[in-house]
Amino acid sequence: MPEPGGRAVSSPLAAAGAEPTLDRISAPGRAAWSLPPLDVPAADLDLPESSAALPPLPELSERDLVAHFTRLASRNFAVDIGAYPLGSCTMKYNPKVADWAAEHPGFRDLHPSLPAELSQGALEVLLDTEAILCELTGMARATFQPPAGAAGELTGLLIMRAYHEAAGHPRRAIVIPDSAHGTNPASVTLAGYEAVHIPSNDRGMVDLAALRETMSAEVAGLMLTNPNTLGLFEEDICAIAAAVHEVDGLVYYDGANLNAILGVARPGDMGFDIVHSNLHKTFATPHGGGGPGSGPVAVVERLARFLPGPIPVRLPDGTAGWEVPDNSIGRVHGHQGNFLVVLRALAYMRALGGAGLRRVAERAVLNARYLEHLLAGAYDIPFPVPCMHEFVASAAAIKRATGVRAMDIAKSLLDLGFHAPTVYFPLIVDEALMIEPTETESPETVEALAAAMLDIAARAATEPDSVKGAPHRTPIGRPDDAAAARHPVLTWAMGD
Amino acid sequence: MDFTPHTDADVERMLATLGVADPAGLFGHLPAEVLLDHPLDLPQPMAELEVMRYLDGLAGLNRSGLVCFAGGGVYDHFLPPVVRALTLRPEFVTSYTPYQAEVAQGVLQALFEYQSMIAAITGLPVANASLYDGATAGLEAVNLAVAATGRRVVWVSRALHPHTREVIATLAHTRDLAVVEHPVVGGRTAWAPDAEGPPALVVLGQPNYLGVIEDYGAAATVARSTGALLAASVDPMLLGVLRSPGEAGCDIAFGEGQPLGNPMSFGGPVLGVFATTEALLRRMPGRLVGRTTDEAGRAAFTLTLRTREQDIRRERASSNICTNQTLNAIGAAVHLAWLGPGGLAEAGRQSIQKAHYLAGRLARVKGVRAANPAPFAREFAILTPVEPAEVVSAMGERGYLAGIPLSGDYPELPGGLLVAVTEQRTRDELDGYTAALEEVIADA
């Protein structure tokens, strides 16, 4: 059997000594920059609001600059180094052909104000991606303005509000399950709504009876992730959507977990009206250390007139152009969102095609179900329902027996060459470890990850202090977060 | 093609372990009515080479390679190869948000350095680790000020970027905020101190959307007299030349950060710059990286003041932002470190000098005149006798992206065209642009 890949031996992260910040390696008079001399006659401009002094930036040679950022890179884990089973984040492999696309000068160097006649290729990218997204989700039209998932949520909620306002009354509340991502309630507040939380039942799913009780003419809609944040498919989804529609509410699909159902089931067929997709999760665009993402929002036909304008459209003459929908909620981004991220996603979607996209869901679920199977016994699996692309395990029993917590297990995994799973989320599971292996890890890697987690569970019993002290082999140990918050040092000037 | 490593034998072995007959069986517990009973109408898979040919073909439908005179926040500055080489390191590109600080010191330290350098150029004590873009950063400034003052009116200059005003308007409607637009006279904002108020925030562009250098003092006086916070949308590439917003008395500086380290990218991904005072720190939107130590006393960086954020504070968070523009911020940090104080000042100075040279040349073109008399920096508005959209189209045929037509956003400037210049434009290009415009106007 092949050896497992996907495990980072610690050497790429071994850089033990701290790298000084740029201000510490700056020397007055050094410079990396060069520019040609000014080739027009210099005018004596005497502009108002001119600065008397140069800004206090560091001064470096290019060689030092390169060494500095290369050493920083060496102190960072990444998908390209090893497996990254971070639940809810879908840290799959990011194909290099998409990097090539995003660096293509014919896209990368386009100014956003180019008129449609000079940017037909960019418009075609948006239209093609829209068509694929709409087919995958069962929606009719989409906007690419939202630059991330949370922005997509806000956009979706503003569309809900516009829909209800058009019917005479914006309504007051948005219903969200207690297992929702934190961005859901935060977006609800920004959209001027009140979040109403409903509990999960003992199967980890929306409690249908409780949901029905919250329904009223003041409910603007429901936000739901499906599979939910426990990695479970909401089995009552059609009844849930029907209950919301009964009061003329709208049903919003948080696309965080779309990876699980590509080509298998569609939000539109389940009764969802608005769907955001995280291109940086499901469609393999790299997460960039925290962004850029892309959170396009797709809607059913009757909501298309509210989309943020302008949106790309096919014109009667066959060319592509821009159009502001009749009842547009207005802009939610300065331009067309994170266009190059959309382009990367298109490269991925086109490479996989319909068959490949369905295979993604099958293998994502296969890997997760297999890993869950390998860990059951050592870790509690709180809900008796087959998982989809991820699952939540609980370290509650381990904690009771040994004092070792979910966070300690996560930190120990870092020592063993894997990234940690998501911990303490969703909030409804005690000592939660949310694990998403993704479809791009091989079975050998999944087995090595399972072996590492089983090893940690065993060591929790025999040498709990070692596990609680982890990580031991990373560039730094656990940071003092309390001190960081008590005395914030957010710039090097504050530290002096 | 796909990117899953499983062989048929792997799949069979794993399914057998799970006691599932075939891949479809993995979904056997889903309600039958939601399962697709047909393959989706999606394109056939492509080999990598086919994907590249396909996208290359689409790129060919764009008129790329035009000499760029368009700005409006997104500028064609010189981006040295070293910036891309370092920013695109896979350790930065393919990592997640640095929640596990022990294996994310690279991204965390780069963001700390970004925050430090944004604070340095804006003259404000604290900057966050990036927002989406300049327009949404403007919205966050409004949200911050409304929360900090409890007031529900915002004063914006009509010369603030139209897209920023539109994004603010989208949310103002929902949140029942009144946005009062203050007029532009001769290119500069004419603040009306007796407008509906009192405002939570006074917002100007510096330089404003028309390229004009505003009077910080006038805006600061209005903000002081009404008890409002003051925010400036700045062009970061000019902060080696122009007074910093912090020095000018602003409480918030925000702006489109694209000129720092990022290609134009058809407008995204770019980044929103955001800096403010220590008094407003606890209301700052977005992520913040702080310096601390680890258990062994080693220097360490970590995400901090997290209780402002949505995953902790949920519906009471200072913003809903989670994913931001980290990689773009790293690009900005590398670029700022490459420029240093001298390079930032020289890139700004050359952009301004060349803009003035071009403005002088264009003033001599028959039928063209300056839209307003006020002093400008690296961008300026001209009025042409030909419809600006037609000018852009005809100039496109001659190899130039002539600028951004203004008449849609500013009907009071018929024939208005916004022209931007960077240090990259050569004298030949400036002269060529002038000659081409002369031709276009003569032909019309």
Side-chain angles (χ1 to χ4, degrees):
Chain A
M1 191 146 121
E3 292 278 315
R7 181 207 293 253
V9 291
S10 62
S11 58
L13 300 170
E19 170 67 10
T21 46
L22 286 169
D23 59 316
R24 303 289 171 92
I25 54 177
S26 167
R30 272 198 197 127
W33 70 276
S34 68
L35 282 174
L38 186 68
D39 61 353
V40 300
D44 184 9
L45 295 174
D46 191 27
L47 294 177
E49 307 289 1
S50 290
S51 171
L54 291 177
L57 291 171
E59 297 175 69
L60 307 160
S61 69
E62 181 166 315
R63 192 266 173 280
D64 288 347
L65 180 73
V66 167
H68 174 76
F69 282 99
T70 304
R71 289 193 292 252
L72 289 191
S74 80
R75 289 163 67 80
N76 219 85
F77 194 85
V79 170
D80 276 10
I81 296 175
Y84 217 122
L86 192 63
S88 183
C89 303
T90 314
M91 295 296 284
K92 61 173 77 176
Y93 168 68
N94 314 124
K96 300 301 170 191
V97 66
D99 291 0
W100 169 88
E103 283 298 301
H104 194 303
F107 292 116
R108 184 194 61 193
D109 298 336
L110 296 181
H111 191 277
S113 75
L114 271 174
E117 69 197 68
L118 302 178
S119 53
Q120 285 291 299
L123 278 155
E124 292 294 342
V125 166
L126 297 177
L127 286 171
D128 196 12
T129 312
E130 180 188 22
I132 297 173
L133 267 184
C134 285
E135 177 68 8
L136 279 169
T137 56
M139 296 288 120
R141 295 303 315 272
T143 169
F144 290 96
Q145 282 193 34
E153 292 170 17
L154 181 58
T155 302
L157 290 165
L158 296 177
I159 290 171
M160 282 196 196
R161 176 175 275 274
Y163 169 81
H164 291 300
E165 276 176 356
H169 176 45
R171 304 193 174 195
R172 190 175 48 81
I174 299 285
V175 177
I176 49 181
D178 55 4
S179 58
H181 296 109
T183 48
N184 287 182
S187 301
V188 166
T189 301
L190 264 183
Y193 282 119
E194 179 191 322
V196 174
H197 300 274
I198 47 163
S200 304
N201 63 21
D202 57 4
R203 289 172 61 74
M205 303 194 189
V206 168
D207 185 327
L208 188 56
L211 175 85
R212 286 195 170 123
E213 263 170 49
T214 62
M215 286 301 128
S216 76
E218 282 302 326
V219 170
L222 168 76
M223 297 180 88
L224 199 63
T225 311
N226 192 21
N228 64 27
T229 58
L230 295 162
L232 308 178
F233 192 90
E234 293 281 354
E235 52 199 13
D236 293 328
I237 184 57
C238 295
I240 291 169
V244 179
H245 286 152
E246 219 161 90
V247 296
D248 196 28
L250 295 171
V251 191
Y252 181 89
Y253 184 89
D254 178 326
N257 295 342
L258 184 64
N259 208 48
I261 58 167
L262 290 175
V264 173
R266 305 196 296 176
D269 300 336
M270 302 172 201
F272 287 95
D273 305 294
I274 307 173
V275 176
H276 96 249
S277 305
N278 297 90
L279 302 186
H280 50 290
K281 297 180 180 181
T282 311
F283 300 104
T285 71
H287 209 287
S294 173
V297 170
V299 296
V300 293
E301 191 64 54
R302 69 187 168 129
L303 298 178
R305 66 189 171 110
F306 301 113
L307 285 170
I311 55 172
V313 288
R314 178 72 59 200
L315 300 174
D317 67 359
T319 64
W322 297 106
E323 187 179 276
V324 177
D326 290 343
N327 304 92
S328 174
I329 59 166
R331 273 184 183 278
V332 297
H333 185 267
H335 301 288
Q336 282 297 314
N338 285 335
F339 170 77
L340 291 183
V341 180
V342 178
L343 174 67
R344 285 173 181 274
L346 179 61
Y348 175 78
M349 291 169 168
R350 280 295 198 153
L352 269 64
L357 288 165
R358 169 157 177 128
R359 203 155 47 234
V360 162
E362 289 175 354
R363 294 188 176 170
V365 175
L366 180 63
N367 271 358
R369 194 86 54 88
Y370 186 61
L371 181 59
E372 183 187 45
H373 172 84
L374 295 177
L375 294 182
Y379 292 84
D380 295 333
I381 306 296
F383 300 101
V385 180
C387 74
M388 298 290 284
H389 67 304
E390 66 186 1
F391 61 95
V392 176
S394 169
I398 294 175
K399 182 183 161 198
R400 273 193 304 276
T402 68
V404 166
R405 306 190 58 204
M407 184 63 86
D408 304 323
I409 294 166
K411 299 296 184 194
S412 294
L413 266 179
L414 304 178
D415 274 339
L416 296 175
F418 295 102
H419 197 275
T422 297
V423 286
Y424 302 113
F425 184 82
L427 309 173
I428 57 174
V429 173
D430 199 23
E431 297 297 320
L433 290 154
M434 186 199 221
I435 309 170
E436 181 179 12
T438 83
E439 73 280 4
T440 55
E441 297 306 332
S442 68
E444 296 81 29
T445 302
V446 173
E447 284 157 7
L449 174 60
M453 289 192 68
L454 294 174
D455 174 58
I456 295 166
R459 282 196 292 120
T462 57
E463 39 178 314
D465 288 343
S466 157
V467 179
K468 285 187 216 168
H472 305 282
R473 298 166 61 192
T474 47
I476 60 160
R478 294 190 200 190
D480 189 343
D481 288 325
R486 211 162 40 238
H487 304 290
V489 178
L490 307 173
T491 67
W492 53 55
M494 289 172 94
D496 289 347
Chain B
M1 69 184 297
D2 70 24
F3 301 94
T4 61
H6 304 67
T7 64
D8 291 347
D10 288 334
V11 174
E12 266 174 47
R13 178 171 66 88
M14 295 166 81
L15 286 172
T17 306
L18 296 170
V20 175
D22 55 27
L26 294 167
F27 304 96
H29 64 299
L30 270 58
E33 67 265 37
V34 307
L35 283 175
L36 278 169
D37 54 5
H38 61 279
L40 293 177
D41 182 17
L42 289 170
Q44 290 301 308
M46 286 180 175
E48 188 154 320
L49 181 57
E50 291 172 303
V51 173
M52 293 170 73
R53 284 177 182 150
Y54 171 65
L55 295 179
D56 203 45
L58 291 187
L61 301 178
N62 294 321
R63 183 69 173 84
S64 54
L66 296 177
V67 182
C68 186
F69 288 86
V74 176
Y75 299 96
D76 181 30
H77 283 285
F78 172 58
L79 198 51
V82 64
V83 172
R84 290 307 266 176
L86 293 174
T87 309
L88 296 181
R89 292 273 316 195
E91 297 88 341
F92 296 139
V93 173
T94 73
S95 55
Y96 193 72
T97 304
Y99 292 128
Q100 297 290 338
E102 297 87 341
V103 290
Q105 286 298 294
V107 166
L108 285 163
Q109 184 169 337
L111 288 176
F112 177 86
E113 293 174 343
Y114 165 81
Q115 291 171 187
S116 299
M117 289 188 280
I118 294 299
I121 63 173
T122 58
L124 283 161
V126 288
N128 72 9
S130 79
L131 297 170
Y132 302 133
D133 71 344
T136 57
L139 172 63
E140 294 282 9
V142 168
N143 286 340
L144 185 158
V146 167
T149 63
R151 298 177 177 181
R152 307 197 64 79
V153 180
V154 180
W155 288 6
V156 302
S157 158
R158 183 164 169 72
L160 182 66
H161 197 302
H163 293 179
T164 306
R165 284 184 286 131
E166 283 179 48
V167 170
I168 291 172
T170 299
L171 262 290
H173 165 73
T174 299
R175 305 195 62 208
D176 209 18
L177 306 177
V179 180
V180 178
E181 206 168 87
H182 291 251
V184 180
V185 177
R188 281 181 157 183
T189 311
W191 299 102
D194 52 353
E196 179 199 344
L201 186 70
V202 171
V203 193
L204 75 155
Q206 183 67 304
N208 68 28
Y209 185 66
L210 303 174
V212 167
I213 302 173
E214 294 268 9
D215 180 357
Y216 266 131
T221 301
V222 159
R224 241 191 334 268
S225 68
T226 55
L229 298 174
L230 178 62
S233 169
V234 295
D235 177 346
M237 213 59 180
L238 297 181
L239 290 178
V241 178
L242 296 183
R243 205 145 70 102
S244 76
E247 189 193 330
C250 293
D251 302 284
I252 300 169
F254 67 93
E256 177 47 68
Q258 175 275 335
L260 303 176
N262 285 273
M264 296 189 285
S265 312
F266 203 50
V270 289
L271 73 153
V273 164
F274 198 98
T276 188
T277 60
E278 288 197 63
L280 296 171
L281 171 60
R282 305 267 163 180
R283 295 186 187 278
M284 175 86 97
R287 295 189 187 124
L288 287 166
V289 175
R291 183 158 65 192
T292 183
T293 52
D294 73 355
E295 297 145 319
R298 291 174 291 199
F301 297 89
T302 189
L303 292 174
T304 193
L305 300 180
R306 299 259 300 117
T307 53
R308 300 163 299 112
E309 289 191 63
Q310 47 74 31
D311 54 327
I312 313 269
R313 185 66 57 94
R314 298 178 77 87
E315 53 263 58
R316 294 184 307 281
S318 60
S319 164
N320 70 332
I321 191 168
C322 180
T323 287
N324 60 14
Q325 306 285 124
T326 296
L327 191 66
N328 307 91
I330 293 175
V334 178
H335 195 194
L336 277 170
W338 181 83
L339 286 164
L344 186 67
E346 182 64 9
R349 185 182 81 91
Q350 289 207 14
S351 299
I352 291 171
Q353 282 289 345
K354 291 179 179 189
H356 283 78
Y357 173 83
L358 179 63
R361 299 290 311 246
L362 295 182
R364 293 199 288 273
V365 173
K366 193 162 178 260
V368 171
R369 58 198 176 85
N372 52 63
F376 61 92
R378 56 102 129 251
E379 196 159 12
F380 54 93
I382 57 170
L383 304 177
T384 81
V386 181
E387 185 52 41
E390 281 172 39
V391 171
V392 170
S393 184
M395 291 288 281
E397 284 163 26
R398 290 164 172 81
Y400 300 94
L401 179 56
I404 304 178
L406 287 169
S407 36
D409 293 312
Y410 298 91
E412 65 270 35
L413 294 176
L417 182 71
L418 187 62
V419 182
V421 182
T422 70
E423 83 288 8
Q424 284 216 90
R425 297 288 74 85
T426 63
R427 184 173 185 160
D428 281 352
E429 289 168 343
L430 302 173
D431 292 341
Y433 179 96
T434 308
L437 184 63
E438 212 155 24
E439 230 175 79
V440 165
I441 290 171
D443 287 357

